[in-house]
Structure formats: C-alpha cells, structure tokens
Amino acid sequence: MPMDFKDKCVLVTGASRGIGKATALAFAEKGAKVGINFRSRIDEAEKTLIELSGNGHQLFQRDISIKKEAKALIDDFVNAYGKIDVLVNNAGIAITHKVDEVDFEEWTSAWEQTLQTNLFAPAHLCYLAAHHMIKAGGGSIVNVSSRGAFRGEPDQPAYGASKAGLNALSQSLAKKLAPHHIHIGVVAPGFTETDMATETLTALEKEKMLQETPFHRMAKPGEVAHAILFLASDESAYSSGTIIDVNGASYLRS
Ligand SMILES: NC(=O)c1ccc[n+]([C@@H]2O[C@H](COP(=O)([O-])OP(=O)(O)OC[C@H]3O[C@@H](n4cnc5c(N)ncnc54)[C@H](OP(=O)(O)O)[C@@H]3O)[C@@H](O)[C@H]2O)c1
C-alpha cells in the first residue's frame, strides 16, 4: 500500500541538511505540508525549502536545545497549520569527548550539550506535540536514534547514552499514548552520508566503517527517510514502539 500523507502537517527537526532534509523531501513528495526546523544554517534551510515539491511548506528557525525555543517551535507550527499530524525528532549532535583524554570541564559540557539536544529536546517536543495530537484524536511521532545506542560509542559516550535514552523514551510513550491513537516509532541508522558522518570520521575510520557492513557503503539519507515515513504512516500504527535498524547489516541485534 503506498504511503499517503496528503493533507498531513509534518514537523521535521533538523531538516536543513542530511537525514532531516531527505525526510522533508520524502514527505513533501507524498503530499504533506512540511515544517522545516533548523538551528543556524539558514542558507541550507532555504535551499531545502525550494527543493520540496508541492506547496505550503515553511521554515522554523529554533534552537530546540533551549526549552523555551522548543515550546515556541510547536506553538509556531500549530499557529501556522492549525494542527500537527506528524512529529519527526531528527535533529541531533555528536561530540567526541574521550574519557581518557578530555578534562572534566570538556567532559561535563559534552554531556550537557548532547543530552539537551538529543534527549531532552525530543522529550519536550513529544510532550508538546502529544498534547495537540490528543486533542485532535491522534497522530504519530518518529524519533531518530542510532546504532550507537546498542553497540556503544567509545569516543562519544554521551551520544550513545542519549540515543539509548531516546529509545527508552519512545517505548514508554508508545505504551502511554496508544490509547490516544498516537503511535511512536524509532529509526536507528548506522553511518549515513551526511555532514555529521563525514565531519566525524577520519579517512582511516571511514575505511574501517566500510568494512563493517557487507554493503561496503554508508546509508543514503533517503534510505533512512524511507523507514521514517513508514513508521509515521497510519498503516504502521500497530508497529508502535518498534525500532527499525538502517545499518546495512553492520550490527545485528538479537
Ligand atoms: N549521519 C549519520 O551517520 C547518523 C548515524 C546515526 C544516527 N544519526 C542521527 O540522525 C539524525 C540526523 O543526523 P544527520 O547526520 O542528518 O545530521 P547533520 O547532517 O549534522 O544535520 C543536523 C541537523 O540538525 C540541526 N540541528 C542540530 N542541532 C539543532 C538544534 N539545537 N536545534 C535545531 N536544529 C538543530 C541542524 O541545523 P543547522 O543546519 O542549522 O545546523 C541540521 O539541520 C541525528 O539525530 C543523528 O544523531 C546520524
């Protein structure tokens, strides 16, 4: 059955670039009106907006790691569209802070920044969006996690922990919100061809990463977007609470 998002209003955080951009493009292709959230790169966000098919899409520049900005994002979106059918918590950051190398200040700062962006912000946005969805009689949320939540992130421990927390948050809310006809899914990508992956990896690490998957390549952002759309669709409501791996069989969970 083809996924149809005609007349749906979809908010994608971190949609100026990478996986968020591919997700915004895919939702627009399926008829949705898309809100493109981003933090600072307005030129990239404007490029994304121009590339979306259909009409009614808008930019929402807000730093979701700041509590009042997250609240303003949902308020602005609902004021613009009158409702929120789908929330995709995609925006995320990855900071390298090796436990045996950084000083305590750097260690604590990495934890605070990472958790604020990757865990607290999605939690607050889920809360705010869910309240509108409850009043409207339903909706869906997809949270973008990571393979790192399962296999460990030795050089980016706050990142791995934030994504494990996001998985637990999503599964808790999937149970709590099902009676309100809100379903919640998680997509856990492995390395994906975006700025985040290319900025993080050295040439040697990239080579090692390519050896990890029998596909010998990174995921394409559109492949992650495909799983996000599936979980956001009405047809996948009964899959609520599930986590879809998009990691090229590089890390298989039992
Ligand atoms: N790429 C990978 O290999 C990979 C693997 C596993 C999981 N993931 C996850 O997939 C998601 C997307 O990753 P990506 O690789 O597409 O990232 P990316 O290319 O680095 O893009 C990050 C996006 O998030 C936005 N953003 C960051 N902090 C924000 C904030 N505080 N408020 C609002 N927007 C913010 C950025 O906005 P600006 O453009 O304004 O900076 C940008 O749109 C993340 O959650 C990441 O953890 C990625």
Side-chain angles (χ1 to χ4, degrees), residues 2 15 26 34 50 53 61 63 69 75 93 128 131-132 138 142 154 162 171 181 195 200 207 212 214 243:
V34 184
I50 290 167
S53 54
Q61 182 171 14
D63 181 342
E69 291 265 302
D75 289 347
I93 56 168
L128 294 161
H131 279 254
H132 288 287
V142 182
S162 71
Q171 292 182 325
H181 309 290
D195 295 343
T200 318
E207 190 44 46
E212 288 174 355
I243 301 174

Side-chain angles (χ1 to χ4, degrees), residues 13-21 36-45 60-66 69 73 89-94 113 116-118 121 143-148 153 159 162-163 166 187-201 218-219 221 224 228 246:
T13 68
S16 52
R17 299 180 279 128
I19 293 168
K21 175 177 180 170
I36 298 166
N37 161 251
F38 66 104
R39 180 186 43 190
S40 53
R41 302 207 193 169
I42 190 147
D43 48 335
E44 298 280 342
F60 295 89
Q61 182 171 14
R62 294 283 179 190
D63 181 342
I64 58 158
S65 68
I66 300 166
E69 291 265 302
L73 172 61
N89 278 309
N90 163 75
I93 56 168
Q113 284 180 65
Q116 269 157 11
T117 305
N118 294 7
N143 293 327
V144 181
S145 178
S146 171
R147 176 183 59 177
E153 290 287 359
Y159 180 80
S162 71
K163 297 299 191 178
L166 186 62
V187 175
F191 278 118
T192 307
E193 282 171 10
T194 71
D195 295 343
M196 179 182 278
T198 47
E199 280 164 11
T200 318
L201 294 175
M218 291 195 203
V224 183
I228 293 172
V246 185

